Amino acid sequence: MAGNATTRFDNVSLLSVASTLPSRVTTSDDIEGRLAAALTRLRLRKGLLRRVAGVLERRNWSEGETSDDATIDAGRRALAEAGVDPSQIGLIINTSVSRPHLEPSVAVRLHHGLGLPSSAINFDVANACLGFVSGLSLAATMIESGQIRYAMIVNGEDADEIQTNTIRRLVDADGDREAFMSEFASLTLGSGAAAAVLGRSDEHPDAHRILGGVTRAATQFHELCVGSVDGMFTDAKALLKGGLDLVVSAWREAASEWDWSRMDRYITHQVSSVHTNAIVKAAGLDRSRVPTTYERLGNVGPASIPITLVEEQATLAKGDRVLLMGVGSGLNTAMLELAW
């Protein structure tokens, strides 16, 4: 079925973006060491995470560190960089997949920790790994409508519990290679936090314009990747094919309104080497303009796009065209253009 949802913005800019990373580095060799019994039983060679996903290491929170505290830290630095006082924020959207409980929202803890005013709207948005981009679009719409003046989009991910549960289950279980590989994606996850501040372009002419973009759904694939703190179960081959078909369909249909063939930077959701190479080939991207962080940070869920953007911003020049793009479980895809 054809059809992108297209959005354009005239007066919204990204004022700042910041990230906070955990201090503890967990290598893929560390994880495979914990999986040694399962790998031996299934006759799988060492270096599986490096060979299949290209993930060498990822970050995990150390004792005394939490994703909430890290998100608040990133938020404070994003506010300082934007030159916006917490009292001016009219909206905070938390976009994390990780959450310690179902109720209340994670956003209320972050709203309180950042010292935002009682007038600041606060809630969570869940859209798998597209959550941060979805939050940006929603906040931009509210700014454009005049409902709010400034907004914060935040995200904090904690991969510890799901990885601990997955490793324990894989070691204790007697499943075959197919069962092992259905949980492989959980082993590539990493932790981290990010925050962004948005405002009106006419009040911040030197900031980075959010021009708009497209989204597209293929929800017939909603069972291909299903996760919780207990584990994430994925049909990797079907997920990759479905995701690529979705991206290509969205890209082609968007071409009548958007020219994304010569962007200065493509900030993609970070999953693995297989995923990145497939997206580059399918969309015909210039590989030199597709930075990657999955090798060092793994898949940090919705935080991966802003974390990668933080690393790239020092090399971006005014006027550069930047495309945020990714695929989230469900399946959904989103592409959002920034004028740096």
Side-chain angles (χ1 to χ4, degrees):
M1 182 180 296
N4 288 346
T6 301
T7 306
R8 288 186 179 274
F9 302 111
D10 296 319
N11 193 29
V12 185
S13 287
L14 173 69
L15 308 187
S16 64
V17 58
S19 65
T20 301
L21 299 179
S23 62
R24 178 162 58 98
V25 175
T26 304
T27 68
S28 291
D29 289 343
D30 292 336
I31 287 183
E32 290 189 8
R34 295 161 64 188
L35 285 167
L39 295 174
T40 299
R41 177 175 57 80
L42 296 173
R43 297 182 180 179
L44 291 169
R45 289 191 296 122
K46 293 181 180 180
L48 186 65
L49 282 161
R50 295 170 179 263
R51 293 195 312 274
V52 175
V55 176
L56 308 182
E57 59 188 35
R58 77 281 294 138
R59 298 291 186 93
N60 294 99
W61 303 111
S62 294
E63 186 175 352
E65 298 175 341
T66 70
S67 57
D68 283 352
D69 288 345
T71 305
I72 291 168
D73 175 70
R76 286 173 177 160
R77 286 186 289 107
L79 285 168
E81 183 181 330
V84 174
D85 190 87
S87 64
Q88 296 177 286
I89 296 295
L91 168 72
I92 180 171
I93 303 177
N94 171 66
T95 62
S96 305
V97 171
S98 300
R99 51 185 309 122
H101 41 65
L102 294 176
E103 190 176 2
S105 69
V106 177
V108 297
R109 297 171 62 92
L110 306 176
H111 179 286
H112 174 71
L114 285 163
L116 302 186
S118 60
S119 56
I121 304 165
N122 58 95
F123 53 82
D124 293 351
V125 163
N127 194 16
C129 291
L130 286 181
F132 203 92
V133 176
S134 297
L136 290 174
S137 295
L138 178 57
T141 299
M142 294 177 69
I143 291 173
E144 190 104 312
S145 72
Q147 185 176 357
I148 57 173
R149 186 180 175 196
Y150 293 106
M152 292 190 71
I153 313 302
V154 295
N155 184 277
E157 301 299 337
D158 187 343
D160 275 24
E161 187 172 4
I162 185 173
Q163 286 184 340
T164 297
N165 291 338
T166 297
I167 291 170
R168 181 186 301 115
R169 182 168 47 252
L170 291 175
V171 170
D172 294 342
D174 57 359
D176 57 14
R177 287 192 180 191
E178 183 177 355
F180 182 96
M181 294 308 296
S182 73
E183 298 199 59
F184 183 79
S186 299
L187 306 176
T188 69
L189 298 177
S191 302
V197 176
L198 277 60
R200 291 173 48 172
S201 302
D202 57 8
E203 295 183 340
H204 300 272
D206 294 328
H208 319 301
R209 287 276 313 283
I210 300 178
L211 303 182
V214 303
T215 64
R216 190 184 187 99
T219 54
Q220 66 269 31
F221 299 123
H222 64 276
E223 294 183 341
L224 293 184
C225 181
V226 179
S228 69
V229 294
D230 291 327
M232 184 164 64
F233 301 87
T234 303
D235 182 337
K237 289 184 179 180
L239 186 67
L240 181 61
K241 183 181 185 306
L244 288 177
D245 289 346
L246 180 62
V247 168
V248 170
S249 297
W251 184 276
R252 288 175 177 170
E253 188 153 318
S256 61
E257 299 184 60
W258 303 88
D259 179 13
W260 290 326
S261 61
R262 293 181 178 84
M263 305 299 288
D264 294 288
R265 214 64 50 89
Y266 298 93
I267 307 296
T268 63
H269 171 53
Q270 302 292 302
V271 179
S272 67
S273 55
V274 173
H275 177 272
T276 299
N277 293 338
I279 290 291
V280 167
K281 182 178 180 180
L285 307 182
D286 180 343
R287 185 64 179 81
S288 67
R289 301 185 181 190
V290 184
T292 58
T293 55
Y294 63 80
E295 303 95 335
R296 296 172 287 108
L297 303 178
N299 178 355
V300 200
S304 68
I305 285 179
I307 287 174
T308 305
L309 182 59
V310 167
E311 293 200 359
E312 288 298 301
Q313 61 183 344
T315 65
L316 292 169
K318 187 173 179 59
D320 280 352
R321 300 177 66 198
V322 180
L323 188 66
L324 312 182
M325 58 187 297
V327 179
S329 300
L331 290 168
N332 287 293
T333 189
M335 302 168 195
L336 186 67
E337 183 177 350
L338 309 180
W340 207 258

